[in-house]
Amino acid sequence: LQKIVGVGVQEEHDPGFFKLLHPALCGLLTDAHISGDVMQVQHLAASAGGSNWPTDTVSFYVPAKAGGGTDMTARVFLQGINEVHPGNYIVVNDVTGGGTVAAENVRNAKPDGLNLLAYHTGLCTSIASGQYAHDLSEFTICGMFITVPDEATGGLFVPGNSKFDKLEDLIAYGKEHPGELMAGMQNGSSTQLIEVLFEKEFDFQATMVDAGSNADKVTALMGNQIDYCFMNTTGNDQYVQSGDLKCLVAWGGKGCKRSSIIPDTPTLEEIYPDENMPRLDMYGYIAGPAGMSDELVQTINDAIKEAVETDTVKEGYKKLATTVEWVSPADSVEILQQCQNAYNEAYALTQG
């Protein structure tokens, strides 16, 4: 039995090809005592749950580019899963259609647990808007790999050389120059919905530009192709520290604390105590196609539960300012339905 010391990257449209972990993630995993080399591992037979999952290579579809916050979090968690439930796991990064293509690949897969979706409630935006014609009830929810922390996990970022140092100045400029500011987002994602809600709350208008996933937005900001965008703090704090980007406001749930990785950035409530902008909780879940057996789901959820307690996940998530608590499949379904309801209501507000 070989010990796995990395999770492979299978790029979209390039089946079977493996690359080393993204450099930003290699440093993180090295600190967590995991090498960046990629190796395969043979399957250990039956798990405690009785299922012999995985019977073959498991493809985790992550609708994010390598190196972004969602991708990095998923990889750390899969390292934890592999420690407690050894198998041959690969990450398939596919951002096509704002994550809808990755979702469809999993939804239409065989219910054998070999094709799983590792994503977050950003897909709820595509469902609310009708961009994705299906919903999460058509999947088998196996559990959570991200739960909502009590600190800000997102922010509004501008280029390091931006003339804006305060959120108030950006908003004032947007009001005085309607449509001039270029706001980056990804069509069908939560960043698009958040941007619309942001403009509606503060009564100004920017020009929204589909700047792609997190990694693409970083490139667009550094190249001054967009003026600002909402992104996760995870993975982007390094650019704030280097001066390549500035974060004008930390974004999180009502009453959240400042981000632990960009602690000098105030929260939205600190800047505007009376603001009433809707919040959208961001949970990360692992899902498979409908029809998976209860035994298989329990085996995967058991692996998730054990992974949550590994040092790899605890240490890695701390550095990513991300949290996770074990959630049963049934409770995961209920939480995701509540999230979908909230996204539906928020989307309806943008149409008014």
Side-chain angles (χ1 to χ4, degrees), residues 134-202:
H134 304 278
D135 59 51
L136 292 175
S137 68
E138 299 177 54
F139 293 81
T140 300
I141 307 300
C142 301
M144 300 288 194
F145 74 99
I146 301 173
T147 50
V148 177
D150 61 355
E151 68 174 81
T153 57
L156 186 151
F157 293 82
V158 298
N161 60 0
S162 171
K163 59 186 175 184
F164 303 116
D165 292 316
K166 295 182 178 181
L167 181 66
E168 304 95 304
D169 296 337
L170 183 146
I171 291 174
Y173 188 91
K175 289 182 176 182
E176 295 172 4
H177 304 84
E180 186 175 320
L181 291 175
M182 307 295 282
M185 54 84 197
Q186 183 177 17
N187 277 332
S189 76
S190 58
T191 55
Q192 181 183 19
L193 184 53
I194 290 171
E195 174 58 33
V196 174
L197 292 171
F198 176 61
E199 293 180 27
K200 190 178 184 70
E201 172 68 21
F202 294 100

Side-chain angles (χ1 to χ4, degrees), residues 88-336:
N88 185 23
Y89 306 108
I90 62 171
V91 168
V92 183
N93 293 102
D94 189 348
V95 299
T96 312
T100 58
V101 172
E104 277 297 272
N105 283 333
V106 173
R107 192 181 70 85
N108 292 311
K110 293 180 180 179
D112 53 11
L114 298 183
N115 291 279
L116 299 172
L117 182 68
Y119 198 31
H120 53 61
T121 42
L123 186 63
C124 293
T125 304
S126 298
I127 296 171
S129 67
Q131 179 179 340
Y132 187 47
H134 304 278
D135 59 51
L136 292 175
S137 68
E138 299 177 54
F139 293 81
T140 300
I141 307 300
C142 301
M144 300 288 194
F145 74 99
I146 301 173
T147 50
V148 177
D150 61 355
E151 68 174 81
T153 57
L156 186 151
F157 293 82
V158 298
N161 60 0
S162 171
K163 59 186 175 184
F164 303 116
D165 292 316
K166 295 182 178 181
L167 181 66
E168 304 95 304
D169 296 337
L170 183 146
I171 291 174
Y173 188 91
K175 289 182 176 182
E176 295 172 4
H177 304 84
E180 186 175 320
L181 291 175
M182 307 295 282
M185 54 84 197
Q186 183 177 17
N187 277 332
S189 76
S190 58
T191 55
Q192 181 183 19
L193 184 53
I194 290 171
E195 174 58 33
V196 174
L197 292 171
F198 176 61
E199 293 180 27
K200 190 178 184 70
E201 172 68 21
F202 294 100
D203 193 26
F204 77 100
Q205 182 180 1
T207 296
M208 288 193 289
V209 178
D210 188 351
S213 64
N214 182 89
D216 295 318
K217 292 192 196 78
V218 170
T219 300
L221 284 170
M222 290 185 180
N224 293 109
Q225 298 169 338
I226 57 177
D227 293 302
Y228 73 92
C229 67
F230 285 96
M231 297 190 296
N232 292 332
T233 53
T234 300
N236 295 316
D237 56 308
Q238 60 182 315
Y239 305 120
V240 174
Q241 294 167 5
S242 67
D244 292 309
L245 298 180
K246 293 185 286 189
C247 186
L248 303 189
V249 62
W251 174 259
K254 289 282 189 179
C256 70
K257 300 184 297 187
R258 291 189 179 193
S259 168
S260 60
I261 56 177
I262 49 169
D264 295 332
T265 303
T267 65
L268 187 61
E269 286 177 288
E270 289 181 73
I271 303 173
Y272 293 100
D274 297 326
E275 59 83 18
N276 195 34
M277 184 173 166
R279 299 297 199 271
L280 300 172
D281 288 337
M282 189 69 71
Y283 285 88
Y285 53 87
I286 293 177
M292 292 172 61
S293 69
D294 292 343
E295 183 182 60
L296 176 56
V297 173
Q298 188 59 56
T299 297
I300 297 174
N301 188 260
D302 286 345
I304 292 172
K305 185 176 183 179
E306 293 180 53
V308 167
E309 299 302 323
T310 63
D311 288 341
T312 293
V313 171
K314 289 180 178 180
E315 294 173 11
Y317 273 36
K318 184 177 181 180
K319 293 182 179 182
L320 294 172
T322 303
T323 60
V324 61
E325 296 178 359
W326 172 78
V327 183
S328 71
D331 287 344
S332 297
V333 170
E334 183 176 350
I335 289 171
L336 291 175

